Structure formats: C-alpha cells, structure tokens
Amino acid sequence: MIWFHLAVAIIFIIIGSRLGGVGVGLAGGAGCIVLAATGLHTKVAEDIPWTVIGIIMTVICAIAALQLAGGMDYLVHLTEVMLRKHPNHINYLAPLSTFLLSLLCGTGHTAYSVLPVIVEVAKEHKIRPSRPLSIAVVASQVAVASSPISAATLALVGVLEPLGVGYLKILAVTIPTTFIGCAVGAVVASHQGKDLEDDPVYQEREAKGLVSHNAAVGDTAWKPKRSAVPSLVAFLIALVVVVGYATISSEEVGVLSKPPMTSSAAIMLIMLTTAMIICMISHEDVKQLTTQATFRAGMSAAICILGLAWLGNMFVNNYMDVLTHAGASILHSAPWFLSVILYLAAPLMFSHAATTVAFMPVVAKIGVSPAVMLACYPAVANYYLLPNYPTTVAAMEMDDTGSTRVGRIVFNHPFVIPGTVSIVVTILLGAFGVPVVLG
C-alpha cells in the first residue's frame, strides 16, 4: 500500500500547487482524509507542526502591526532612496535590499513593495529589468532560510538542537553563506540576457506603446507616519531580544542553566508583545491589523503548512520503518543527495518551513550527519524553478518591458540560473563552513 499512499500524497500536492495560495493547504487536508479512509492513522499532536505554525502566526502579527504603523512603508522608502541614489549599481543593491528585508522580517513577501521600484529605476536608466528583478526575488527567498525569526529556521532548530547543533551555530552558518551565495548570483544575473535596447521583445512592446515611462525621481515630499520610526525601532529591538535570549539560554553559552522557556516559545511571546507595543505606539485601530497584506499572506502560509505538513507527516510517520530502511542506504552512500531532494521538493511544497518540516525529521532519523543537513538546508529556498510563486509572478507582471518572461519551455526564465547558482554556492560554502562552526 505504500506506493498507493505515496501516489495519493503526490496527487494532492499537485492539486494544491495548481490551486495555488492557500489551496496548497486545503488540498493537503483533503489528502489526509483519503489516507485515513484507506488505512493510515494520524495523531494531531505528532503530525501537525504546531510550533512552526505558532511562530508564523505570531511573527506575522508583529510584521502586520509594523505595516499598519507605517514602519514597513518607511523601510521601503529607504530602499527606494538607496536604489534611486545609486541606479548604476541596481543589479547588486536590489538583491541586497530584498535580502535584508526578508532577513529582518522572516518572510519573502516583503519584496512585493520593492519590485515596482526596481522596475522603474531600471527602465529610467536603460538597464534590463530582468537582471535586478531575477536576483532580487531569489535573494528574498534565500534570505528566509537564514532569518533568525523565520519558521523554517526554527523548524530546523527543532530538529538539530537535540543533535547538538543549536540556534546560534545554525545562524552562524546560514547568514554568511546565503549572503555570499546571493552576491555571486547577482554577478551572474547582471550578465544575463541582451541589453534592454537590443531585446527584440522590448523593441516590439516599445513600438506598440506598451512600456510605461515615469521620469519622476521619487516622491521627495513623502513623509512617514509619526509612528513609523518608533514602531520600526521597537521591531528591531525585538529581533535583538530574540537573538539575545537564544544566546544566553543556549547550552554553548550557558548563562541560563534552566531557561524558563525554549527559543521557540520566546519568539512567539516576544513577537506577540511587540505587536501589542507597536499597536499602542501607532494608536491605530487594532482591527485593521488583520486587513494588512502581510497578515493575509502569513496566515495563508500557516494554512498551507497545516495541510501540507500534515499530509506529509501522516504518510511518513505511518511508513517510517520502510522509509528509513530505503532512504538510509541512499543517503548514507551519497549524503549530499539531500540537497537535490530539497531542491526538487521545495517548488512543490511552496514553503520553506513545510519542506523543512516534511524532510528534516525523517533525514535525522535515518542518521544523516547534522553537518550535512545544515549545509544542504538552504536548498529549501528553491521557489523560482517553476515560475508560479507569487513573488516570481509579480516580478514578471510588473516588468512591462517584457524582459522578465518565460520562454518556450516552463524552465526557461531569468530566475533559474542566478537562483541555482546562489543555492549551489551557498551549499558549497556550507560544506566548508559547517565543520569550522561545529568544531
């Protein structure tokens, strides 16, 4: 029956990916019903990653409060000022900005507000928009794998901490390797495709009047909300507190021998408290928090993980012995094949955290080295292989020059090469860096 149940899981994952958005989670729940109806059992406490979902919900509350208070707009404004001040370096500054936004906020959805700025600045200076757009989208996703508050990072911590690899060591590896990987990807992206004025698609669209031209130098009269800067300061302080608590409560530092709560619990409580403080600072109607775009996107992600991870864990936990026996021989002989598995699974799972939760606990039980798991982990950021992820679609829709487009085959688009280079470089750096960090 294992092959039948595997087919059921795959079919519902495909159905979910076709539905898109929250449909991924809905299809996962439907798949669980079919698995249960055909003989498998589920335990809610074991099969649903409640901690990951809790982290997503609480972090998103803080980010939505930041958006409501104007702090997110202020961050985007600072990014726009930087890009317009140094337009000739946009191929490198664009991914830097989206990387930092995702690193701070724990979600790649922060890139949406920056993408139109990238397009306009590139067009104004006759730079092919697909170059900065492609790597900016990739960087926004790769950074999630190294964010101190992302659900994926905390999911990995939950797997590796019992194996002796704590929160701080994970960040010490993922932050520098993902940053350097994206930097190399930016170099590759900056040489991708013809120059804008030599692109026949652009020439055709320009001739038809389909390309808009905005000669504005940005809104110099724009003023942030009064609560924007204080709310942003409060959010940044919360990030410092999160990392600080993880530091003093870690076994490596040993300041707190008996910490009152785990790092995961600390993140959830600190983020809820931060959301409350920001709401008090902004004096905005708290009911408006749930109407923010970041809140809707984050809660959709929580539903996706609920259904998809439940489906995957239900299948895996019922066939753990079989999967352990089959996977152990492959991964023990070729442990780095894990990076390929994660790379191919991520576009279907539609979530860093869901991919991490679905595969890493199984890999740990098989006995794969924690060093290999940590080095391969950034492959969960491969959201660009299929051109159907929201930020990828948004980048293509916003680029009216036609330079950011899908070719005749589904994999022929500008995100693939710089994205793959970024992840390959990140994994290779991890292979060398992990032994140093872990000692």
Side-chain angles (χ1 to χ4, degrees):
M1 288 290 284
I2 184 172
W3 293 110
F4 170 76
H5 288 139
L6 177 61
V8 169
I10 292 173
I11 287 170
F12 277 94
I13 289 174
I14 293 173
I15 292 173
S17 65
R18 287 188 174 275
L19 289 173
V22 72
V24 177
L26 305 182
C32 289
I33 291 179
V34 176
L35 293 182
T38 53
L40 297 191
H41 297 82
T42 183
K43 296 180 180 179
V44 173
E46 296 178 5
D47 292 342
I48 301 177
W50 291 114
T51 298
V52 173
I53 294 172
I55 290 170
I56 290 177
M57 294 175 68
T58 52
V59 168
I60 288 300
C61 282
I63 293 172
L66 182 66
Q67 185 175 26
L68 181 63
M72 192 71 73
D73 289 337
Y74 185 60
L75 273 176
V76 173
H77 173 70
L78 294 177
T79 302
E80 179 177 2
V81 170
M82 178 184 68
L83 293 178
R84 291 189 182 278
K85 190 175 182 179
H86 305 283
N88 293 329
H89 301 295
I90 192 171
N91 290 337
Y92 303 98
L93 294 179
L96 174 63
S97 61
T98 56
F99 183 93
L100 292 177
L101 285 171
S102 293
L103 189 74
L104 289 174
C105 300
T107 171
H109 295 293
T110 53
Y112 288 121
S113 300
V114 181
L115 296 181
V117 179
I118 296 172
V119 174
E120 289 304 320
V121 173
K123 286 193 299 183
E124 287 169 17
H125 295 83
K126 301 300 181 183
I127 297 169
R128 184 183 179 91
S130 67
R131 292 171 178 172
L133 277 177
S134 61
I135 188 60
V137 168
V138 167
S140 71
Q141 299 303 338
V142 173
V144 173
S146 58
S147 171
I149 58 172
S150 74
T153 297
L154 272 295
L156 185 68
V157 170
V159 176
L160 293 186
E161 259 189 342
L163 302 178
V165 182
Y167 180 75
L168 297 179
K169 289 183 178 179
I170 290 173
L171 294 181
V173 171
T174 56
I175 292 178
T177 56
T178 53
F179 180 82
I180 296 172
C182 288
V184 175
V187 174
V188 173
S190 65
H191 294 89
Q192 226 181 191
K194 296 179 179 180
D195 289 340
L196 182 60
E197 294 185 318
D198 296 329
D199 189 329
V201 174
Y202 167 71
Q203 293 171 353
E204 180 182 348
R205 292 182 63 83
E206 182 70 78
K208 293 180 178 179
L210 299 175
V211 181
S212 64
H213 293 282
N214 180 13
V217 189
D219 185 4
T220 55
W222 184 87
K223 297 291 184 182
K225 285 184 177 181
R226 185 175 297 179
S227 58
V229 175
S231 66
L232 183 57
V233 171
F235 186 77
L236 294 177
I237 290 174
L239 293 181
V240 173
V241 173
V242 165
V243 176
Y245 180 82
T247 301
I248 64 175
S249 63
S250 66
E251 293 183 1
E252 298 98 317
V253 177
V255 174
L256 293 178
S257 57
K258 294 181 179 180
M261 54 186 167
T262 64
S263 297
S264 299
I267 286 179
M268 287 187 269
L269 293 177
I270 290 169
M271 286 296 124
L272 285 176
T273 303
T274 302
M276 181 197 72
I277 292 172
I278 292 175
C279 287
M280 293 174 66
I281 290 173
S282 67
H283 299 293
E284 297 282 355
D285 185 355
V286 179
K287 295 178 182 178
Q288 295 298 312
L289 190 146
T290 58
T291 67
Q292 303 304 301
T294 49
F295 186 89
R296 293 195 300 270
M299 293 308 150
S300 293
I303 295 296
C304 288
I305 291 174
L306 172 64
L308 194 56
W310 195 346
L311 176 66
N313 289 341
M314 184 176 177
F315 173 80
V316 168
N317 289 337
N318 276 270
Y319 289 107
M320 180 60 71
D321 293 339
V322 177
L323 294 173
T324 301
H325 179 74
S329 58
I330 298 173
L331 290 178
H332 284 161
S333 59
W336 294 101
F337 187 66
L338 173 62
S339 62
V340 178
I341 295 173
L342 297 176
Y343 180 87
L344 297 176
L348 298 176
M349 302 293 278
F350 248 61
S351 165
H352 299 76
T355 306
T356 304
V357 169
F359 288 92
M360 288 306 194
V362 180
V363 173
K365 291 178 181 179
I366 287 174
V368 173
S369 163
V372 171
M373 294 170 63
L374 179 54
C376 293
Y377 156 71
V380 301
N382 175 25
Y383 282 5
Y384 50 79
L385 188 62
L386 298 175
N388 62 348
Y389 195 75
T391 46
T392 305
V393 174
M396 291 188 288
E397 291 293 327
M398 292 177 188
D399 181 9
D400 58 4
T401 68
S403 69
T404 311
R405 60 182 184 266
V406 180
R408 292 182 178 179
I409 59 174
V410 71
F411 299 109
N412 184 17
H413 55 82
F415 304 91
V416 172
I417 295 177
T420 302
V421 168
S422 297
I423 285 183
V424 168
V425 170
T426 298
I427 292 172
L428 290 176
L429 290 173
F432 290 102
V434 169
V436 175
V437 173
L438 299 188

